[in-house]
Amino acid sequence: MTSSPASSLHVVGGDDPTDKTEGAPVRTILVHGAMDRHNSFRRVARRLDQAPLMYDRRGYAKSIDVEPAVRDLERHVADLLSIIGDRPAIVVGHSVGGLIALTTAAHFPSSIVSVAAYEPPTGWKSWWPDDLCVLQGERPEQTVERFYTEMVGDPAWDRLSESARNGLLSEGQALQVDLEAGRRAAPFEPSDIAAPVLLGYGTNSNKHHIRATQELADELPSATLEVIDGAYHGAHRSHADAFAEFVERAIRAA
């Protein structure tokens, strides 16, 4: 896997990435999941001792005009490496953002000193549900509506304003890439991750998200498992205090 610089991604927060003074704090980077954006971490970010760095991944929100990735996770890994720069970071990812974080840690171990992933998908497993992937012949806008209604519900989709719905529909290509991430094969070997790993899931999450996280915890030699009581897949939104502590645990492990 090779790296290349990100272009025009919307990046916010964090300290000065050019600060290379001795003793400068290690930066924490938060990576969002499928059909999400950096703003979903805003309540978590306010609870952290140091401001994290966050960004909209290519094809989403304010990075909508950056060409979506077209080959599994390679472009997303390259984007994250470009944001990390030459100062190793702590990376915390939600859902497919966690898969990006783990893949980067495996292929570029010198860039990440600690990694945390909340309910990363494992689409390469034979039991992973087909409805969490792109269905045969499905158009990007169809994937968006199906994914949104499955995750949030039909009433929530119906309540969206026309502009909000159109905004989500415009992210269809990026969503399809996310849903196919790692579908053909596992994007990393667990034994290649040298950094400490924190994995998490919510007790109210779907059984496949729980199973995926538990299996990864067994496969990763350096993994610690944390469970957020009462949380669903979107714990960073609904359980900001607990998710902030999840991030802080990854920071302390660095």
Side-chain angles (χ1 to χ4, degrees):
M1 185 172 286
T2 58
S3 65
S4 61
S7 173
S8 303
L9 292 177
H10 180 70
V11 184
V12 300
D15 61 351
D16 181 2
T18 66
D19 181 6
K20 297 180 175 62
T21 58
E22 185 176 351
V26 177
R27 286 181 295 157
T28 301
I29 302 174
L30 306 183
V31 187
H32 71 77
M35 210 164 70
D36 206 353
R37 51 265 296 121
H38 85 272
N39 270 342
S40 67
F41 289 119
R42 65 186 183 279
R43 294 179 62 231
V44 172
R46 288 199 295 266
R47 289 162 168 79
L48 300 177
D49 291 338
Q50 295 177 345
L53 191 152
M54 305 174 287
Y55 65 105
D56 291 332
R57 291 192 294 112
R58 58 176 60 237
Y60 288 109
K62 292 185 178 180
S63 297
I64 188 69
D65 292 330
V66 182
E67 181 184 2
V70 294
R71 185 182 176 188
D72 272 345
L73 297 175
E74 288 192 20
R75 295 291 293 276
H76 289 301
V77 168
D79 289 343
L80 178 56
L81 287 170
S82 180
I83 292 168
I84 290 173
D86 58 5
R87 201 171 101 202
I90 298 155
V91 181
V92 180
H94 170 260
S95 192
V96 73
L99 189 58
I100 293 167
L102 291 169
T103 303
T104 306
H107 290 279
F108 300 91
S110 64
S111 294
I112 295 180
V113 294
S114 176
V115 59
Y118 183 84
E119 298 188 3
T122 54
W124 60 92
K125 299 290 184 74
S126 61
W127 55 262
W128 188 255
D130 288 338
D131 60 2
L132 285 182
C133 304
V134 180
L135 302 182
Q136 186 174 2
E138 191 173 47
R139 300 191 307 275
E141 59 272 18
Q142 291 175 315
T143 305
V144 168
E145 183 171 356
R146 178 177 60 81
F147 182 81
Y148 190 95
T149 55
E150 286 177 357
M151 297 298 292
V152 186
D154 290 304
W157 177 261
D158 294 336
R159 285 194 300 267
L160 290 174
S161 66
E162 183 177 1
S163 61
R165 190 179 296 116
N166 287 338
L168 293 175
L169 291 172
S170 69
E171 297 173 354
Q173 186 178 347
L175 174 62
Q176 286 192 333
V177 171
D178 282 350
L179 295 183
E180 290 298 297
R183 184 65 169 163
R184 291 173 293 182
F188 64 88
E189 288 292 336
S191 59
D192 289 338
I193 299 181
V197 176
L198 178 62
L199 295 170
Y201 69 86
T203 57
N204 288 344
S205 289
N206 292 330
K207 61 182 181 181
H208 47 268
H209 284 132
I210 294 174
R211 179 179 176 181
T213 309
Q214 291 174 334
E215 288 187 357
L216 279 176
D218 291 336
E219 294 164 3
L220 290 161
S222 60
T224 301
L225 185 62
E226 179 169 311
V227 180
I228 299 181
D229 188 48
Y232 294 86
H233 188 58
H236 59 311
R237 294 175 179 267
S238 63
H239 290 65
D241 287 336
F243 201 93
E245 176 55 29
F246 180 71
V247 176
E248 292 287 3
R249 283 192 64 186
I251 294 171
R252 292 194 294 270

